[in-house]
């Protein structure tokens, strides 16, 4: 990620919707693909504050009405039904905003979703809706478990539970994952090195790209790297995993314990680690940390090498502050081979304009 600059000269960030120095509204301009100061023209319409751009903008409806987005639409492209930005138009279900606290949790989901889509755009990965002719069509459901009201003794029936996951283009995230207390409880319970909102998005988008780029296209190649996803079946593998736990010494071959469950989860965890790596390398590159590499053009060994070196620095920095390691994965030769598969898949899918 880059940092940006307000018209007043203050440094601004991807998540900002207001400059803390001059109090001007900020937003993402889809024309110059940049965070910008939203300048008001005389008639009150908004305009991109970058002089070379200057297009007329309107705030995304989720920005103007709910303040959970900070992106804008081009004014001439926005009709009555299209006042949602390029990222929000993928939302199929938003949380019930009559429930106290849900707007704040939705905001955290949207911030993570924007980070995800920014990285997909950086890598020029294809995605779109059915109307754009994409199959699978990308959509998000942000939903909470149905509250139990006065029947607290009863366990949740299956249909009342929301499972974070991917099915046929639809990514569902349980709103609970945006609650830091609940999320940390789950992280400790499942002995995970990290559990983050953006991490969920990166994992689920991997299943989306498996369907788009691997299924019925190059499944045999994928089996060579990750194992046979048809045998054992997913449900058998899942049952075994929850009965017996992860394979011993999994660190030699897998990025996480969960990746040992089934080849689909190994692919998803590896793909998510690749997106983590790209995001960290891109940030380091933009802020000018020495020894990095530009992750959209570098080859995989250079990226892995830079990420390992950067990981030592960033982990030590976190430890200095008493935080968990920023880069917990051990990128062994076998893990790097899986990353290479994901790298080649992504590079070959990149859409050249
Ligand atoms: Zn400012
Ligand atoms: Zn602009
Ligand atoms: Zn939006
Ligand atoms: Zn998964």
């Amino acid at each position: 990620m880059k940092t940006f600059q307000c018209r007043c000269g203050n440094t601004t960030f991807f998540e900002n919707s207001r400059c803390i120095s001059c109090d001007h509204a900020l937003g993402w301009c889809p024309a110059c693909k940049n965070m910008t100061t939203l300048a008001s023209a005389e008639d009150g319409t908004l305009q991109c504050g970058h002089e070379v751009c200057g297009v007329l903008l309107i705030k995304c409806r989720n920005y103007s009405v709910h303040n959970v987005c900070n992106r804008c639409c081009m004014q001439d492209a926005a009709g009555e039904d299209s006042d949602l930005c390029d990222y929000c138009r993928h939302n199929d279900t938003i949380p019930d905003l009559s429930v106290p606290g849900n707007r704040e949790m939705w905001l955290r989901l949207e911030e993570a979703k924007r980070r995800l889509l920014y990285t997909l755009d950086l890598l020029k990965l294809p995605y779109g809706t059915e109307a754009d002719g994409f199959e699978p069509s990308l959509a998000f459901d942000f939903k909470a478990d149905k509250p139990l009201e006065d029947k607290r003794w009863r366990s949740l029936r299956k249909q009342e539970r929301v499972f974070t996951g991917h099915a046929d283009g639809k990514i569902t995230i349980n709103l609970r994952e945006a609650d830091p207390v609940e999320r940390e409880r789950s992280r400790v319970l499942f002995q995970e090195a990290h559990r983050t909102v953006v991490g969920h998005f990166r994992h689920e988008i991997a299943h989306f790209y498996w369907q788009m780029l691997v299924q019925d296209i190059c499944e045999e190649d994928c089996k060579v790297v990750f194992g046979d996803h048809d045998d054992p079946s997913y449900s058998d593998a899942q049952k075994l995993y929850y009965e017996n736990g992860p394979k011993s010494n999994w660190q030699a071959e897998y990025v996480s314990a969960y990746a040992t469950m089934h080849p689909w989860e190994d692919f998803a965890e590896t793909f998510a680690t690749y997106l983590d790596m790209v995001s960290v390398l891109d940030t380091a590159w933009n802020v000018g940390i020495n020894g990095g590499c530009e992750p959209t053009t570098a080859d995989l060994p250079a990226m892995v090498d830079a990420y390992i070196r950067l990981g030592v620095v960033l982990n030590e920095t976190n430890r200095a502050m008493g935080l968990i390691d920023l880069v917990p994965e051990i990128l062994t030769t076998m893990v790097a081979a899986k990353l290479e598969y994901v790298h080649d898949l992504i590079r070959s899918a990149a859409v050249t304009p």
Side-chain angles (χ1 to χ4, degrees):
M1 182 56 67
K2 298 171 194 159
T3 58
F4 305 89
Q5 208 175 34
C6 177
R7 257 191 350 185
C8 73
N10 188 39
T11 299
T12 63
F13 304 96
F14 188 61
E15 279 76 19
N16 291 163
S17 54
R18 194 158 283 281
C19 172
I20 55 162
S21 177
C22 72
D23 206 37
H24 249 105
L26 306 170
W28 180 269
C29 171
C32 60
K33 302 192 188 315
N34 209 342
M35 284 295 291
T36 181
T37 313
L38 296 176
S40 293
E42 275 179 15
D43 62 353
T45 53
L46 297 175
Q47 192 172 17
C48 174
H50 294 293
E51 275 175 25
V52 289
C53 177
V55 296
L56 295 180
L57 299 169
I58 62 163
K59 288 179 178 178
C60 168
R61 175 154 38 96
N62 287 343
Y63 184 177
S64 59
V65 178
H66 302 296
N67 211 19
V68 297
C69 180
N70 66 351
R71 296 175 80 83
C72 296
C73 313
M74 306 255 265
Q75 204 178 77
D76 49 6
E80 239 165 73
D81 297 324
S82 60
D83 56 352
L84 289 173
C85 73
D86 52 347
Y87 286 1
C88 286
R89 68 197 191 97
H90 292 281
N91 291 357
D92 270 5
T93 309
I94 63 163
D96 177 356
L97 298 178
S98 68
V99 177
N102 273 8
R103 195 207 70 88
E104 288 69 24
M105 296 217 271
W106 182 27
L107 169 65
R108 292 186 201 122
L109 294 184
E110 288 295 337
E111 286 177 345
K113 188 191 83 182
R114 290 202 294 276
R115 286 262 170 182
L116 168 76
L117 295 177
Y118 179 89
T119 305
L120 302 186
D121 289 344
L122 184 76
L123 294 169
K124 298 187 167 57
L125 274 167
Y127 64 89
T129 63
E130 207 175 334
D132 307 324
F134 277 86
E135 173 59 39
S137 157
L138 179 63
F140 297 98
D141 273 0
F142 301 142
K143 298 197 286 199
D145 291 325
K146 198 162 177 260
L148 289 174
E149 293 160 1
D150 58 343
K151 297 168 187 158
R152 288 177 194 280
W153 53 270
R154 184 170 57 88
S155 65
L156 286 175
R157 287 205 305 271
K158 207 171 181 183
Q159 66 268 29
E160 294 170 321
R161 277 202 179 150
V162 174
F163 291 97
T164 293
H166 166 266
D168 204 19
K170 169 72 63 74
I171 289 175
T172 302
I173 308 277
N174 189 316
L175 204 57
R176 194 177 54 228
E177 294 298 337
D179 178 338
V181 176
E182 288 296 322
R183 198 173 58 249
E184 181 64 5
R185 194 196 307 276
S186 299
R187 186 187 75 78
V188 174
L189 186 68
F190 298 123
Q191 299 178 14
E192 295 170 345
H194 280 185
R195 191 178 181 97
T196 62
V197 183
V198 73
H200 281 297
F201 279 98
R202 288 177 182 149
H203 177 98
E204 300 309 336
I205 203 74
H207 291 305
F208 170 87
Y209 280 114
W210 193 90
Q211 185 175 340
M212 183 192 273
L213 305 174
V214 178
Q215 189 173 33
D216 300 330
I217 300 170
C218 54
E219 290 189 37
E220 293 308 312
D221 297 347
C222 196
K223 282 180 182 176
V224 172
V225 180
F226 293 97
D228 188 351
H229 48 261
D230 293 319
D231 182 25
S233 73
Y234 188 84
S235 55
D236 285 350
Q238 193 177 35
K239 191 165 168 282
L240 272 178
Y241 179 78
Y242 287 116
E243 276 171 11
N244 304 331
K247 288 176 191 164
S248 59
N249 195 27
W250 56 264
Q251 289 91 342
E253 289 176 61
Y254 300 88
V255 289
S256 69
Y258 189 63
T260 68
M261 195 230 274
H262 184 269
W264 282 338
E265 298 306 346
D266 191 12
F267 176 87
E269 289 286 272
T270 306
F271 194 103
T273 299
Y274 184 84
L275 295 184
D276 286 344
M277 176 169 73
V278 166
S279 187
V280 168
L281 290 176
D282 175 53
T283 304
W285 182 254
N286 281 302
V287 299
I289 295 179
N290 286 337
C293 68
E294 207 287 302
T296 62
T297 53
D299 61 20
L300 197 269
M303 289 169 69
V304 168
D305 186 50
Y307 194 47
I308 289 172
R309 280 186 288 109
L310 206 53
V312 172
V313 175
L314 296 172
N315 287 348
E316 279 302 311
T317 311
N318 273 20
R319 288 169 199 164
M321 290 297 284
L323 297 168
I324 57 177
D325 284 359
L326 194 114
V327 182
E329 298 88 5
I330 302 161
L331 304 183
T332 62
T333 313
M334 290 184 78
V335 167
K338 293 176 183 177
L339 285 169
E340 181 100 54
Y341 178 85
V342 170
H343 174 81
D344 292 344
L345 191 70
I346 287 176
R347 285 282 170 91
S348 60
V351 180
T352 40

